Amino acid sequence: MLPSGKPDYSRVVRCPCTRKELDDERHSRFIQYSNLGSLTRLMFENLEPLGKSGNPANQAKFKAACEAAREFAANPAGWLVLGGASGSGKTHLAAAIANERIAQGHPAYYISVPDLLDRLRTSFTADSEVPYDEFFEQVRNAPLLVLDDLGAQSATAWAKEKLDQLLTARFNGELPTVVVAITPLEQMDERLKTRLTDPRLCRVYILEEEHQASEYGWGPEFKLQQGMTFVNFKRRNNLSLEQQDNLDEAYRVAFDFAKNPEGWLVFMGQTGCGKTHLAAAIVNYRYEAGKPALFIVVPEFLDHLRSTFSPDSKVSYDDVFESVKTAPLLVLDDFGEQSTTPWANEKMYQMLNYRYNGRLPTVVTTRYSFDELLGEVPDAISSRLVDSQTSVPFNIMAPDYRGDRRAGKKRSSSRGKTTRYR
């Protein structure tokens, strides 16, 4: 408007709808430029604020790194170096920074170091879409560069030279850079370590050290379960959207339970769907936090309980049964695979009833469906497993991750009510 109040027809004002179209187009260009691919889903909003570790010291480290990442995304300056154990959340934080910058309308470029070197090699070929000089210049001068998996590259002289050229150029130019290191900084080449730890430009955050064994440990028969953590519970590419959403929700339920075990959690689903991994991850999380937990496989527990009646047994029946019955947190794996003798039913009822009345945190995994729990398990036991005031039954819809359908069908068709629950 002019001072007189009349419209100023000499000015060109962009239509709001056109501005939105241009903003959307710009955002799409930035996404394409970013090279993030599927990592566009990794945002600050879907990040665990304290990470996936149950160790309070590691949680504090992750929180500090997360706060630094948010600050860097708001105002990229210098270098942010993220290190720590595999699966501790380094890549999520780095990708979240890039995604946040793009959401704010700024470009960011992501690439892993091995991919960077591979693309540089292929750029020498005659059929390369982008010449070597053009691609190297693009990465070297990116407004914000995220370099993932530093330390995973081959250690050839050529690779070292190219990486040194890139990092030296960005270091001297003080260009905003996020570096995710998978090798401890102290084990890196001296020249590279000097760049990454220079306090004038770099801020270094170690998210999680490889944790030491807890005073609460696994027995030698549980070597497989000892490696089942929330960190290495992988997404599966062969699932439908409904199945993946269901498995993501199962993960969230298990993780929340691990942080604050209350009541009972019953995971139902076929063999290989992930229920044992999640149950073992809960125990491993508690061990990391220095908290007591006990993982037992139900059929093996009952066999062990029977063996205590032998004169040669080195432990008493009372000691074994009491340790399971009173465990501060108990995981009962493979419930329903045990024999259904009157003795076995009696022991299971005594143990479950004690924990039910004492409101002791308990996790149960079973191949039963909810209806089968009600129809095939003795009422005295099933009523406690499905009590909505105490228990959270969760059916995992994912199929066997090994793709073994025939074994599942054979088990289902040979179900017997006189020898086993299932």
Side-chain angles (χ1 to χ4, degrees):
M1 299 289 288
L2 294 171
S4 63
K6 295 181 179 181
D8 183 0
Y9 294 108
S10 65
R11 294 183 59 200
V12 178
V13 180
R14 182 173 292 155
C15 172
C17 60
T18 304
R19 186 184 303 120
K20 184 180 185 306
E21 290 177 2
L22 291 173
D23 288 343
D24 290 344
E25 182 183 347
R26 187 170 184 236
H27 183 266
S28 297
R29 289 201 311 271
F30 283 168
I31 289 292
Q32 186 175 3
Y33 165 81
S34 73
N35 193 44
L36 281 163
S38 63
L39 299 186
T40 53
R41 62 183 171 81
L42 300 181
M43 315 287 287
F44 286 116
E45 289 74 17
N46 55 24
L47 184 73
E48 288 291 341
L50 296 179
K52 300 176 181 179
S53 172
N55 187 309
N58 285 333
Q59 290 177 347
K61 291 178 181 178
F62 187 89
K63 183 179 179 182
C66 187
E67 291 173 353
R70 287 182 178 275
E71 292 174 5
F72 192 91
N75 181 30
W79 288 19
L80 182 66
V81 180
L82 303 173
S86 175
S88 57
K90 304 185 296 296
T91 294
H92 193 141
L93 280 178
I97 291 171
N99 284 314
E100 180 66 20
R101 292 301 294 168
I102 293 169
Q104 294 171 7
H106 303 286
Y109 187 76
Y110 166 93
I111 193 166
S112 71
V113 173
D115 285 346
L116 166 68
L117 295 171
D118 284 345
R119 288 187 62 177
L120 284 175
R121 290 186 189 95
T122 59
S123 66
F124 288 114
T125 61
D127 58 349
S128 174
E129 295 181 2
V130 182
Y132 169 86
D133 290 338
E134 182 179 336
F135 177 65
F136 192 70
E137 195 70 15
Q138 173 188 334
V139 178
R140 183 167 58 186
N141 296 318
L144 169 62
L145 176 64
V146 177
L147 274 180
D148 199 2
D149 289 342
L150 178 64
Q153 71 277 3
S154 61
T156 64
W158 181 87
K160 289 182 179 179
E161 178 189 350
K162 296 301 118 182
L163 193 55
D164 183 67
Q165 287 177 359
L166 171 64
L167 293 176
T168 297
R170 295 192 66 85
F171 185 88
N172 292 337
E174 299 186 359
L175 298 176
T177 305
V178 179
V179 177
V180 175
I182 67 170
T183 300
L185 298 182
E186 59 271 16
Q187 296 178 17
M188 290 188 176
D189 177 84
E190 188 63 31
R191 182 176 172 84
L192 184 56
K193 181 174 68 173
T194 301
R195 293 272 187 273
L196 297 175
T197 57
D198 191 317
R200 295 170 299 175
L201 185 68
C202 303
R203 288 182 291 164
V204 179
Y205 290 87
I206 307 301
L207 276 64
E208 178 181 331
E209 303 286 358
E210 295 288 355
H211 65 271
Q212 301 298 315
S214 166
E215 61 177 300
Y216 306 100
W218 295 91
E221 71 275 22
F222 290 121
K223 190 171 183 179
L224 183 63
Q225 289 85 347
Q226 187 176 1
M228 294 177 175
T229 67
F230 289 114
V231 168
N232 60 26
F233 188 78
K234 303 296 185 183
R235 292 176 64 90
R236 294 163 58 181
N237 298 324
N238 62 333
L239 301 182
S240 67
L241 181 60
E242 182 183 14
Q243 289 171 334
Q244 187 60 69
D245 288 344
N246 170 264
L247 196 59
D248 288 344
E249 179 65 10
Y251 175 97
R252 186 194 64 77
V253 168
F255 191 69
D256 288 346
F257 187 92
K259 291 187 288 186
N260 184 30
E262 290 185 354
W264 289 18
L265 178 58
V266 181
F267 278 129
M268 301 170 287
Q270 66 172 277
T271 299
C273 70
K275 57 187 186 296
T276 293
H277 189 133
L278 290 173
I282 291 172
V283 173
N284 281 313
Y285 185 98
R286 300 303 292 174
Y287 285 173
E288 255 193 277
K291 304 295 184 182
L294 180 63
F295 183 103
I296 65 169
V297 179
V298 174
E300 294 175 4
F301 160 65
L302 291 172
D303 286 346
H304 184 51
L305 201 59
R306 289 186 188 94
S307 71
T308 61
F309 293 113
S310 168
D312 298 329
S313 176
K314 296 180 180 180
V315 293
S316 71
Y317 165 87
D318 289 337
D319 288 343
V320 172
F321 193 62
E322 193 70 16
S323 67
V324 174
K325 187 175 70 173
T326 61
L329 169 61
L330 176 66
V331 171
L332 296 169
D333 194 32
D334 281 347
F335 173 81
E337 306 303 315
Q338 70 273 16
S339 61
T340 58
T341 64
W343 180 87
N345 286 342
E346 178 188 353
K347 296 303 121 184
M348 288 302 299
Y349 169 75
Q350 288 175 353
M351 184 258 291
L352 289 172
N353 187 56
Y354 181 92
R355 299 189 65 81
Y356 177 83
N357 291 334
R359 294 297 189 264
L360 296 176
T362 306
V363 179
V364 179
T365 76
T366 180
R367 285 195 294 147
Y368 275 124
S369 67
F370 188 85
D371 290 340
E372 287 171 336
L373 277 174
L374 293 176
E376 299 185 24
V377 177
D379 290 343
I381 295 175
S382 63
S383 62
R384 284 153 178 76
L385 292 175
V386 301
D387 185 346
S388 60
Q389 294 184 352
T390 305
S391 181
V392 177
F394 192 102
N395 180 51
I396 299 179
M397 299 165 56
D400 189 339
Y401 72 94
R402 294 158 296 197
D404 185 1
R405 304 291 186 270
R406 289 176 298 177
K409 290 179 180 178
K410 181 181 288 187
R411 281 190 297 268
S412 180
S413 62
S414 63
R415 182 184 305 161
K417 296 184 179 180
T418 57
T419 57
R420 288 184 181 273
Y421 281 140
R422 282 182 66 86

